[in-house]
DNA sequence: CAATTCCGGGAAAGCGCTTGCCAACCCGGC
DNA sequence: GCCGGGTTGGCAAGCGCTTTCCCGGAATTG
């Protein structure tokens, strides 16, 4: 990667390095127009491309924003990524991407790499966890982030603060009202559903999952319903699928319709997918709701009830866009929780 | 972003800058173990994080790989992105992301930005176009890429070469046998479908779309079928939706079942989605096939016939992973093109 | 034991750019 | 005609790191 340099441009234009720099790379001091023109011509002729690394080094600001996601191909994360990307574009920055499959120790690596690249800010999406196996990783991640912040970095986290992080300076959490929204969902579902409720959750210790479970239970309680049974499984489609497969028999043999709440949409999709080949139909044999309102749902049948989250805005907020409104979700009841007419009577 | 520097570490450890560098940032010369240990301790105590920018500047190699996609939230692109990301991880690099919504002039901006950051290589995903309105943008993009390559950069393009690019050095095209695969799909569909065929394509001039149309027509011809009518629309879900909406009446009033080939999966999904509220059922009233086999299809009903493409591998290949096998697709016939039994007789 | 390698640490020259500071110059006003 | 003030270019000192080259001492050899 050897390209022509500023000093070559300066020489060709017959000016000093300083002048060339001032002309080409925005400075408060604007050289005279005739000189500027000469410099621009020279740059053009040489095909000069400024070396952003060198600029970053000299100005100590890289114009980079780091994004940590569990899996970029997951619609939840790619929606957030889109938001971050847009915010970055507006701020004239570039996005550095890291997929970590969710392990805090990998996230720590990613943060360290971003810090090494002197990213101006770092966005961490993906649920925080207090699970025992993540303990060590969390400590390291928190330490890495603290160091990064102490050195002047900004970090935006989606949902919950990183476990153990102690710095507040430069640390920004995009709050997602998971609990309230889940409670709201429970309330609306409780209004029409008479039977039992079942929650399919992620592993205990995952904040996002736990918050939604808690909220849903609270909503049920407030509606005067008994608490729902909770099944724990993976926080992704595969987890939902497994849970669904395990549930099919039970649903078929029970006379009462079950209302299932999967703590996120991909899990709800997994559940539904596992139920289908078993002959369990939604909403005929059971009703189901998810959470997130990922774009994929638009074309999923039966239309899935869920809680809408403005994922792109969340990304934008986490990336520090000031013009984005705060996060507000909304319950969306759709076909998957509509009790069929014949049995309502 | 001021962190502690290598020279601080060196001073604390009581060694020279050179030695510290050799200890901490992999060099061929390994200092003695006791000294190394001292340096490592000092680095640890100071929380030293090497400045990758400075390293890049000194070694002139940034460890960055730039990825240009139309839309990171599109499942096609996010699958490729995942592949690129994995390859990058293996090569110990980081991914720089740019979403451009498909305009060559934006892509040019992105490439320039990557070049400025001295990315070691650039991956461009997303169909190339020869449409008139993209002419100027294409020229500029090609010029930018040529310059980048001439300066020693590597570029990997998915599908077709960038229009007008003249450099071959460092220029790497991941070939996708769109035409052959589309022909294969046509052959398989022609074997069971008796009625007319219809192609829902992207705008004329989009290589990927054009290749698939050509291949499909050839397949039909080889099977002794008349050529299919071609409808042009947007190369995304919305385009498919529009086409589907426009088609509904016609399908309902025609006695003969139509076989629709949408040139990519999201378009096929769009078509299906538009048809559904009109009461047109797939495959009862018409059959439909897509192309790409995006992950979303797994949960789309009716199961969509398509052509499987190893999208992650494509990403990996474009990112220069040598261990990835060459691209080979496969026709996947599923429910959406199964002629219902009662009418087969 | 002297002559010759070998080895590992350090000094210093960059990598390409920004920017504080200085000197030169122009202008108008007295 | 001289001086103050305002511009405008250029010089040079970094930004944090790698790497070449040099040099002293230890190890090797005849």
């Amino acid at each position: 990667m050897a390209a022509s340099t500023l000093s070559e441009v300066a020489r060709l234009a017959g000016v000093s390095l300083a002048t060339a720099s001032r002309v080409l790379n925005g400075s408060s001091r604007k050289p005279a127009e005739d000189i500027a023109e000469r410099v621009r011509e020279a740059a053009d002729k040489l095909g000069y491309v400024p070396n952003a690394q060198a600029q970053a080094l000299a100005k100590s600001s890289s114009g980079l924003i780091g994004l940590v996601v569990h899996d970029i191909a997951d619609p939840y994360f790619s929606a957030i990524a889109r938001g971050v990307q847009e915010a970055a574009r507006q701020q004239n920055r570039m996005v550095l991407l890291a997929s970590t499959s969710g392990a805090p120790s990998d996230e720590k690596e990613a943060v360290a790499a971003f810090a090494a690249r002197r990213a101006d800010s770092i966005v961490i999406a993906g649920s925080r966890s207090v699970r025992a196996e993540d303990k060590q990783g969390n400590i390291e991640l928190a330490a890495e982030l603290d160091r990064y912040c102490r050195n002047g970095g900004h970090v935006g986290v989606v949902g919950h603060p990183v476990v153990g992080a102690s710095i507040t300076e430069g640390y920004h959490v995009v709050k997602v009202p998971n609990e309230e929204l889940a409670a709201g969902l429970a309330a609306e579902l409780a209004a029409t559903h008479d039977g039992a409720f079942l929650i399919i959750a992620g592993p205990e210790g995952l904040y996002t999952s736990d918050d939604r479970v808690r909220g849903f239970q609270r909503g049920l309680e407030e509606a005067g319903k008994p608490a729902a049974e909770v099944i724990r499984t993976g926080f992704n489609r595969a987890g939902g699928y497994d849970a669904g497969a395990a549930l099919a028999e039970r649903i078929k043999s029970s006379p009462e319709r079950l209302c299932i709440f999967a703590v996120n949409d991909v899990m709800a999709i997994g559940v539904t997918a596992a139920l289908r080949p078993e002959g369990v139909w939604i909403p005929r044999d059971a009703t189901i709701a998810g959470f997130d309102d990922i774009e994929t749902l638009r074309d999923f049948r039966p239309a899935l009830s869920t809680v809408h989250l403005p994922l792109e805005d969340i990304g934008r907020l986490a990336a520090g866009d000031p013009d984005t409104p705060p996060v507000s979700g909304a319950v969306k009841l759709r076909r998957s929780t509509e009790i069929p007419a014949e049995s309502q009577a």
Side-chain angles (χ1 to χ4, degrees), chain A:
Chain A
M1 281 308 316
S4 53
T5 71
L6 228 208
S7 60
E8 285 170 31
V9 173
R11 195 176 332 127
L12 184 72
V15 299
S16 78
L17 206 61
T19 305
S21 167
R22 290 197 263 254
V23 172
L24 296 176
N25 312 69
S27 150
S28 52
R29 277 182 57 178
K30 293 278 163 214
E33 189 47 41
D34 55 332
I35 293 207
E37 191 49 41
R38 273 223 315 279
V39 173
R40 265 184 244 111
E41 256 169 38
D44 212 58
K45 188 178 304 180
L46 291 175
Y48 170 70
V49 178
N51 185 327
Q53 314 259 15
Q55 293 188 164
L57 187 55
K59 311 200 267 213
S60 54
S61 141
S62 62
L64 252 28
I65 145 166
L67 171 62
V68 182
V69 297
H70 289 0
D71 174 8
I72 188 61
D74 179 313
Y76 172 82
F77 290 112
S78 60
I80 291 180
R82 191 199 258 158
V84 171
Q85 163 73 38
E86 274 166 19
R89 204 177 163 74
Q90 272 172 25
Q91 302 169 21
N92 238 312
R93 300 174 195 281
M94 300 218 73
V95 174
L96 266 174
L97 185 66
S99 287
T100 61
S101 44
S105 65
D106 284 359
E107 298 184 325
K108 175 218 148 203
E109 298 293 329
V111 169
F114 289 156
R117 297 231 134 76
R118 298 301 187 267
D120 298 333
S121 54
I122 294 182
V123 172
I124 304 192
S127 187
R128 301 297 93 209
S129 138
V130 288
R131 298 165 67 197
E133 69 229 68
D134 290 336
K135 184 115 181 261
Q136 188 54 33
N138 269 325
I139 292 175
E140 290 175 20
L141 174 59
E144 200 66 47
L145 281 173
D146 281 0
R147 172 152 73 196
Y148 173 74
C149 286
R150 223 175 300 118
N151 288 335
H154 301 264
V155 1
V157 193
V158 174
H160 268 275
V162 169
V163 178
S166 60
I167 294 275
T168 48
E169 190 70 40
Y171 196 92
H172 173 216
V173 178
V174 178
K175 288 259 188 190
V176 179
N178 282 310
E179 192 171 334
E180 289 68 24
L181 290 167
L185 175 63
E188 297 217 24
L189 292 177
T192 59
H193 181 79
D194 283 331
F197 288 85
L198 175 77
I199 302 179
I200 299 185
E204 189 148 21
L206 257 196
Y207 275 129
T208 308
S209 171
D210 288 353
D211 288 353
R212 292 176 183 179
V213 169
R214 195 178 324 114
F216 197 84
Q217 297 283 34
R218 202 189 72 208
L220 288 182
E221 191 186 336
E222 287 169 4
K225 302 273 182 182
E229 178 189 347
V230 178
I231 295 182
R232 307 246 166 225
T233 177
F235 196 61
N236 49 28
R237 184 188 180 279
Y241 192 93
D242 294 347
L247 223 50
E249 225 26 74
R250 178 162 149 199
I251 293 178
K252 281 193 282 193
S253 60
S254 158
E256 187 192 51
R257 199 194 335 258
L258 196 60
C259 177
I260 302 170
F261 169 48
V263 293
N264 70 35
D265 285 338
V266 289
M267 290 174 76
I269 288 178
V271 172
T272 312
L275 254 25
R276 191 160 22 216
E278 298 289 333
V280 177
W281 283 29
I282 308 290
R284 191 194 61 189
D285 306 322
T287 58
I288 186 165
F291 206 110
D292 286 341
D293 202 17
I294 56 176
E295 209 171 307
T296 314
L297 287 196
R298 182 165 55 175
D299 294 302
F300 185 77
R301 292 302 113 142
L304 226 52
S305 293
T306 191
V307 174
H308 176 79
L309 246 34
L311 297 173
E312 277 189 48
D313 285 354
I314 289 177
R316 243 186 248 112
L317 281 169
D321 185 85
D323 303 328
T324 305
V327 179
S328 72
V331 175
K332 299 277 177 193
L333 292 189
R334 300 202 264 244
R335 183 98 202 300
S336 71
T337 52
E338 259 170 38
I339 314 265
E342 73 271 22
S343 71
Q344 256 177 338

